[in-house]
Amino acid sequence: MRQKIVAGNWKMNNGKGETKNLITELQEEIKDLTLDNTRVIIAPSFINLESAVTQTEDTKIEVVAQNMHQAKNGAYTGEVSADMLKSVGIRTVIIGHSERRAIFKESDEILAEKVNAALANGLEVIFCFGEKLEERKTDNHLLEVGSQLRNSILHIAAEDWSKVILAYEPVWAIGTGETASPEQAQEMHAFIRNVIAKKYTQEIADNLSILYGGSVKPANAKEIFSKPDVDGGLIGGASLKAVDFSSIIKAI
Ligand code: PGA
């Protein structure tokens, strides 16, 4: 069954103490919510994953990683492997965030390798993609998203889709305060679901959670989440405040 998901991408924010405090506050905000078929996810930095996993045991909060390297191990200074993530209790990893693509030059080919490595290691993948402003302005957004999907994830086996969450994040909406309209999000999400249905099966497409990301805030979350093909959100800035993140969770 398709799940609703609200995921907070903390990016390079929050040291050890801040991580602990934010989790404590978030837990306090959401502990009495009935979250039927709804997952609450946070993605702290690598260095705080283990403590966050321990702190969130027996809570409704799941801890995931923001990235991983595709190699099993070896001479990759500064990188973290799937095995390392699993060794501290991580079961899900974000791959392909637009900041990884733009700042760290991760290509579609590299992202395809990361997707393969994560799935082969039994990790669930939150796969991010989305068009740039220029592509939106020139009406090439569907083409661009179709190509990002084709180049990095549409090769996986049908059975692996139960271990994938997609996150559509138009680059022009990330951290800019500008959000896709609920109609723009719905158009894209329906398009994505259709791509999956055509390449795989309608059942796989129907069971797939597709999140929207890009300046989701307490004020706009409900409207975006009300669209039939939007199954939740990947939240950056607003996930750094427990009250804001929890009110987005309540909007799902
Ligand atoms: P934002 O970030 O909510 O701050 O726009 C979203 C993201 O990068 O996942």
Side-chain angles (χ1 to χ4, degrees):
M1 187 161 102
R2 202 193 300 180
Q3 294 174 313
K4 293 196 178 293
I5 298 167
V6 182
N9 174 13
W10 289 7
K11 309 189 180 182
M12 197 173 74
N13 294 292
N14 295 331
K16 183 176 173 170
E18 292 154 325
T19 297
K20 185 165 185 271
N21 292 344
L22 184 50
I23 291 173
T24 305
E25 286 167 27
L26 179 62
Q27 169 58 6
E28 194 52 35
E29 292 282 344
I30 67 166
K31 67 177 191 317
D32 297 326
L33 296 182
T34 11
L35 294 167
D36 281 342
N37 196 37
T38 300
R39 292 168 65 184
V40 173
I41 289 175
I42 57 168
S45 74
F46 282 135
I47 201 162
N48 294 308
L49 287 178
E50 184 172 13
S51 61
V53 166
T54 307
Q55 194 184 345
T56 52
E57 266 165 25
D58 306 317
T59 73
K60 292 162 181 162
I61 304 167
E62 290 174 54
V63 176
V64 312
Q66 298 176 16
N67 181 31
M68 59 168 255
H69 194 272
Q70 61 273 35
K72 187 159 177 49
N73 62 281
Y76 301 97
T77 302
E79 293 293 326
V80 170
S81 70
D83 277 342
M84 292 173 184
L85 294 179
K86 287 196 293 181
S87 75
V88 296
I90 295 297
R91 295 193 304 261
T92 304
V93 59
I94 298 173
I95 289 176
H97 190 278
S98 73
E99 286 147 20
R100 299 297 317 171
R101 293 173 188 260
I103 306 169
F104 301 100
K105 310 292 174 228
E106 293 188 0
S107 62
D108 283 350
E109 293 69 32
I110 290 174
L111 296 174
E113 288 176 20
K114 291 193 177 202
V115 166
N116 292 344
L119 293 172
N121 279 286
L123 288 171
E124 179 186 48
V125 171
I126 301 177
F127 184 72
C128 307
F129 53 91
E131 83 282 0
K132 299 194 191 71
L133 184 58
E134 208 38 46
E135 291 144 0
R136 169 65 61 172
K137 276 192 181 154
T138 51
D139 212 18
N140 283 311
H141 49 290
L142 299 179
L143 265 180
E144 172 60 21
V145 161
S147 130
Q148 287 180 18
L149 291 174
R150 243 185 348 270
N151 293 340
S152 301
I153 201 159
L154 287 190
H155 61 277
I156 68 171
E159 59 269 22
D160 281 336
W161 281 96
S162 62
K163 300 283 280 174
V164 174
I165 297 160
L166 294 182
Y168 166 59
E169 299 203 300
V171 177
W172 48 272
I174 296 178
T176 58
E178 194 171 338
T179 329
S181 68
E183 292 69 34
Q184 286 173 322
Q186 171 57 27
E187 179 203 33
M188 182 61 86
H189 285 222
F191 166 77
I192 295 161
R193 207 178 296 286
N194 194 37
V195 167
I196 305 296
K198 275 206 204 131
K199 169 88 196 196
Y200 295 90
T201 64
Q202 189 63 48
E203 193 190 353
I204 288 174
D206 286 342
N207 285 328
L208 179 65
S209 297
I210 308 177
L211 315 184
Y212 168 80
S215 298
V216 177
K217 308 279 177 224
N220 59 25
K222 204 166 188 71
E223 216 190 339
I224 296 173
F225 294 165
S226 71
K227 293 295 174 191
D229 285 297
V230 178
D231 305 307
L234 182 54
I235 323 296
S239 71
L240 297 173
K241 283 207 180 114
V243 270
D244 288 354
F245 192 51
S246 62
S247 74
I248 293 171
I249 296 165
K250 288 169 196 159
I252 193 84

